Amino acid sequence: MNWSGGKDSALSLYRAQQQQVPVQALVTTMSAAQDRITMHGVRRKLLEQQAEATGLPLRTIELPEQPGMEVYNQTMRHACEALKADGFTHSVFGDIFLEDLRQYRETQLAPTGIAPLFPIWKADSRELLKEFFTLGFQAIVICINGSHLAKSFCGRLLDESFINDLPSSVDPCGENGEFHSFVFDGPIFQKPVAYTKGDLVYKEYPAPISEKDECYRAPQPAAGFYFCDLLPAT
């Protein structure tokens, strides 16, 4: 299971298990320098507690700070080759409707012989959230893209009130990267993951630019994100 710790991967894991897919491990990409989940910014300790709560072993892929695509692809390819050597045949993803992302995953996995699975693919975002809430999942929003949402959305519980307050331009599941979440309870967990809320942090990341872009396009503004730092309660 490609595990980000957020709602989409949690619901995908639940569906895969309900479909009798024998998921045997959680795989998460980590920022080695920050010791946190890439993009989500969640501390390693909380990720480990999530994995413990699911009863599944955790495997992490350690990435350097802001790796280029060549380094990223090479690192991921080596990780997939190691998983294949250990007997893994399929990889579960929580993607919903981004066709280019699915195609990228399929293309990158093809040489390794690992087949991708997409349990929530093409599902309606609002219906997915209804299922998420009905099943008893609980999550907190831990990262928002400042170009799509106000700072006040970061650190809120992911509930119906949060969804109702979203601008119409934002996908209810944040599929376009508008926000990310941390799931701390639900039917895939043997016990809740305890945490406390820490500081709200703002970070900017340079927009990725290819060599072709550098020739024809002026530099793009950095992307700004707000992160709610979560602290392990124990």
Side-chain angles (χ1 to χ4, degrees):
M1 176 73 223
N2 282 266
W3 181 259
S4 69
K7 64 186 181 336
D8 298 336
S9 59
L11 188 54
S12 293
L13 175 58
Y14 173 82
R15 282 198 177 186
Q17 291 176 332
Q18 292 301 301
Q19 295 165 9
Q20 305 304 310
V21 176
V23 178
Q24 296 297 314
L26 304 181
V27 179
T28 305
T29 56
M30 300 291 295
S31 168
Q34 301 296 326
D35 207 32
R36 295 170 184 262
I37 299 175
T38 53
M39 282 309 300
H40 288 216
V42 173
R43 294 169 183 259
R44 189 184 298 268
K45 181 63 175 179
L46 284 170
L47 168 65
E48 292 172 345
Q49 290 180 352
Q50 275 187 326
E52 180 184 357
T54 68
L56 293 171
L58 173 67
R59 297 176 64 145
T60 62
I61 302 174
E62 307 295 324
L63 293 170
E65 188 77 0
Q66 299 181 24
M69 285 306 298
E70 182 178 350
V71 172
Y72 176 83
N73 288 338
Q74 183 181 50
T75 303
M76 296 301 291
R77 182 170 63 254
H78 289 164
C80 288
E81 290 171 351
L83 287 165
K84 180 68 173 180
D86 287 343
F88 288 91
T89 59
H90 292 75
S91 183
V92 183
F93 294 93
D95 302 313
I96 304 174
F97 58 71
L98 297 180
E99 297 282 357
D100 56 342
L101 182 55
R102 174 168 178 160
Q103 183 178 7
Y104 169 78
R105 299 198 195 284
E106 292 172 338
T107 300
Q108 295 299 312
L109 279 176
T112 71
I114 294 179
L117 299 174
F118 301 89
I120 60 174
W121 184 251
K122 289 300 185 181
D124 179 84
S125 293
R126 290 194 176 276
E127 292 303 314
L128 282 176
L129 284 173
K130 288 181 182 179
E131 180 181 357
F132 186 83
F133 297 146
T134 299
L135 288 170
F137 279 106
Q138 295 187 66
I140 181 174
V141 176
I142 41 82
C143 174
I144 63 109
N145 186 327
S147 63
H148 294 284
L149 289 170
K151 175 182 178 181
S152 58
F153 280 91
C154 193
R156 290 179 56 178
L157 289 177
L158 180 62
D159 54 19
E160 292 185 5
S161 174
F162 177 90
I163 302 305
N164 291 336
D165 289 343
L166 289 176
S168 59
S169 58
V170 172
D171 178 70
C173 281
E175 179 69 349
N176 296 303
E178 299 98 329
F179 66 90
H180 300 295
S181 59
F182 175 81
V183 177
F184 58 88
D185 200 6
I188 60 172
F189 291 158
Q190 299 168 2
K191 60 181 179 181
V193 178
Y195 69 89
T196 58
K197 288 171 61 173
D199 296 333
L200 201 63
V201 179
Y202 178 76
K203 293 185 178 181
E204 289 189 347
Y205 299 93
I209 300 176
S210 67
E211 292 181 2
K212 181 178 179 180
D213 289 333
E214 290 177 349
C215 295
Y216 298 104
R217 191 181 68 178
Q220 299 299 297
F225 295 84
Y226 289 98
F227 294 88
C228 178
D229 189 18
L230 300 184
L231 309 174
T234 56

